[in-house]
Amino acid sequence: MTPITTKLPQVGTTIFTTMSALAADVGAINLSQGFPDYDCPPELVELISKAMKDSHNQYAPMAGLLSLREEIALKTEKLHGAKYDPVTEITITAGGTQGIFTAITAVVNPNDEVIIFEPAYDAYAPAIKLMGGIVKSLELTPPDYRIPWDMVKKLISNRTRLIILNSPHNPTATILHKEDIDELSAIVKNQDILILSDEVYEHLIYDGETHHSMARYPELQQRSFIVASFGKLFHATGWKVGYTMAPAFLTSEFRKVHQFLVFSVNSPMQYAFAEYLKNERVYTDLSGFFQQKRDYFRKGLAETQFELLSCYGSYFQSVKYGHLSDENDMEFALRMTKEAGVATIPTSAFYTQATDHHVLRFCFAKKQQTLDNAIERLIKFKP
């Protein structure tokens, strides 16, 4: 047999696959992987069906359906006052993760340094390593997980190529604040540093807080890839459609990779999204929809023995359990799945060094009955 030298020697089965499989095996309620257990909007399914019946079943343009890109440009200008040219600065992607991978591939060269903040979505570091880049990770700590900008300054070197941000943040549910934007702007000023801003949870932000998109700030917009996801927006993660916005000079490089990675994204959904986005309430009402779920879930969790951490955005709620057990978070999560019948994600999985703060992440993008059943089981769970 021909030997294979792995390019990702530390990468195995993801924690999401592991916990979802265990939940299925033992009949546990799956609050681990981040996807809804309720249906997407039926009118959107009808629009997709209509697009198929109208024969929109062949390749879409490489950059995406222009009418969809135009709706995204209008949405971005309405929300953030930012102008993007739908022809040269917006690309439809096969989900947010493909947008992230493509952006990293387009601009990271061997020995370039990329700063990420951990706990981090697990797709960042492998993509950087595949391109020969060097991951410079900065660990954030509970309870607030705020970015220590003085430490970021120390990580900056003449090899720093990219800073990856994620707000609202997975898994911690924190958000960037205006002071973070000010610090970031000062750091990158007069530097050849690009930004990759993962904003897939952009509309899931609570308590009247503002989503500080890179699009809002011209000095950051001009150096940023902004990645978004229709899967998060429309409760349909399995459709794997998203988009990436960037200045024309960055989009040009992005599309050079995109055209050979996927070429184009499925046509019927693009036609449906272009029509569906014309009603701005389909995205402006999302924060209220998910805040109701967040508040309901937090109220139930308050009756358990867990210590709740803050949740300003995304559809994740983290809890601390260190006062209940000395087990590491993976051991505790596995035992809780089997004994309590509720699956969660140990947040050490989001750290390169498997740093364990005894914190677990729950997904509350679930039916109320699902949340009720999970809360009932967690109240009874006595670790």
Side-chain angles (χ1 to χ4, degrees):
M1 182 178 289
T2 303
I4 297 295
T5 301
T6 177
K7 292 184 176 182
L8 296 170
Q10 270 102 36
V11 172
T13 303
T14 71
I15 188 65
F16 310 107
T17 299
T18 298
M19 297 308 297
S20 289
L22 178 62
D25 286 346
V26 302
I29 297 169
N30 189 359
L31 301 188
S32 60
Q33 200 165 355
F35 59 82
D37 68 345
Y38 45 85
D39 290 334
C40 64
E43 56 268 41
L44 188 53
V45 175
E46 291 175 9
L47 286 170
I48 294 170
S49 178
K50 181 179 184 301
M52 290 180 176
K53 291 175 181 177
D54 289 345
S55 299
H56 296 304
N57 298 303
Q58 307 310 320
Y59 291 126
M62 181 269 288
L65 190 69
L66 182 58
S67 59
L68 176 55
R69 288 181 278 150
E70 289 172 338
E71 288 297 329
I72 293 167
L74 287 172
K75 168 178 171 288
T76 305
E77 186 171 6
K78 276 191 271 189
L79 293 176
H80 305 304
K83 292 184 181 294
Y84 282 89
D85 185 335
V87 175
T88 61
E89 298 183 319
I90 300 174
T91 308
I92 308 303
T93 61
T97 300
Q98 188 243 311
I100 291 165
F101 186 89
T102 304
I104 291 170
T105 303
V107 299
V108 173
N109 294 302
N111 296 317
D112 282 348
E113 295 178 352
V114 180
I115 295 173
I116 69 172
F117 302 98
E118 295 184 337
Y121 179 50
D122 64 349
Y124 302 155
I128 296 163
K129 292 174 182 176
L130 284 170
M131 296 309 112
I134 299 169
V135 178
K136 306 289 284 189
S137 59
L138 184 58
E139 291 194 0
L140 310 180
T141 57
D144 57 4
Y145 295 100
R146 293 296 298 272
I147 295 174
W149 292 103
D150 56 332
M151 297 299 294
V152 177
K153 293 173 187 175
K154 293 178 181 177
L155 284 181
I156 299 292
S157 75
N158 59 8
R159 293 198 299 176
T160 304
R161 181 59 169 163
L162 186 67
I163 297 175
I164 300 181
L165 298 165
N166 176 209
S167 179
H169 186 259
N170 174 19
T172 69
T174 55
I175 58 173
L176 291 176
H177 300 272
K178 182 56 170 63
E179 52 266 37
D180 296 306
I181 297 298
D182 293 341
E183 293 278 7
L184 175 64
S185 298
I187 285 174
V188 300
K189 187 176 182 179
N190 299 323
Q191 299 268 8
D192 293 328
I193 298 174
L194 302 174
I195 296 167
L196 172 53
S197 186
D198 180 351
E199 302 183 16
V200 299
Y201 297 103
E202 60 178 323
H203 297 293
L204 281 62
I205 196 161
Y206 313 127
D207 303 323
E209 292 284 354
T210 297
H211 171 50
H212 290 283
S213 171
M214 297 300 108
R216 283 178 172 258
Y217 305 96
E219 70 278 13
L220 299 177
Q221 179 190 9
Q222 66 186 357
R223 63 174 77 232
S224 294
F225 294 97
I226 297 176
V227 174
S229 167
F230 287 122
K232 302 296 189 294
L233 193 61
F234 299 141
H235 322 301
T237 58
W239 292 352
K240 296 298 291 180
V241 182
Y243 60 92
T244 298
M245 304 187 298
F249 79 100
L250 291 177
T251 295
S252 176
E253 295 303 313
F254 182 94
R255 289 180 181 174
K256 289 178 184 178
V257 177
H258 173 78
Q259 68 182 336
F260 296 117
L261 192 57
V262 297
F263 182 71
S264 67
V265 179
N266 62 78
S267 296
M269 289 173 185
Q270 292 194 55
Y271 279 91
F273 292 160
E275 184 65 28
Y276 195 61
L277 279 175
K278 290 178 181 178
N279 176 9
E280 65 180 39
R281 291 195 60 181
V282 301
Y283 51 87
T284 58
D285 288 354
L286 273 179
S287 61
F289 172 81
F290 277 107
Q291 180 160 342
Q292 186 177 34
K293 287 187 175 295
R294 182 206 67 169
D295 293 347
Y296 187 84
F297 189 51
R298 284 178 64 86
K299 182 179 179 181
L301 282 179
E303 299 183 43
T304 71
Q305 297 183 62
F306 296 115
E307 176 187 340
L308 276 69
L309 298 182
S310 297
C311 173
Y312 294 108
S314 80
Y315 46 46
F316 302 114
Q317 172 66 55
S318 293
V319 300
K320 296 194 75 172
Y321 70 87
H323 57 295
L324 303 174
S325 172
D326 291 329
E327 294 166 281
N328 67 47
D329 61 0
M330 186 65 185
E331 293 171 341
F332 190 87
L334 291 172
R335 183 164 68 86
M336 190 174 75
T337 303
K338 296 170 184 175
E339 295 182 5
V342 179
T344 183
I345 294 289
T347 60
S348 64
F350 295 88
Y351 289 91
T352 302
Q353 302 299 322
T355 304
D356 183 5
H357 293 290
H358 290 178
V359 173
L360 305 174
R361 188 201 78 174
F362 294 102
C363 174
F364 56 80
K366 307 294 178 183
K367 299 173 186 174
Q368 183 166 324
Q369 185 62 52
T370 304
L371 297 178
D372 284 340
N373 291 340
I375 289 166
E376 182 180 356
R377 294 182 184 192
L378 291 172
I379 290 172
K380 293 177 180 177
F381 180 53
K382 307 298 180 184

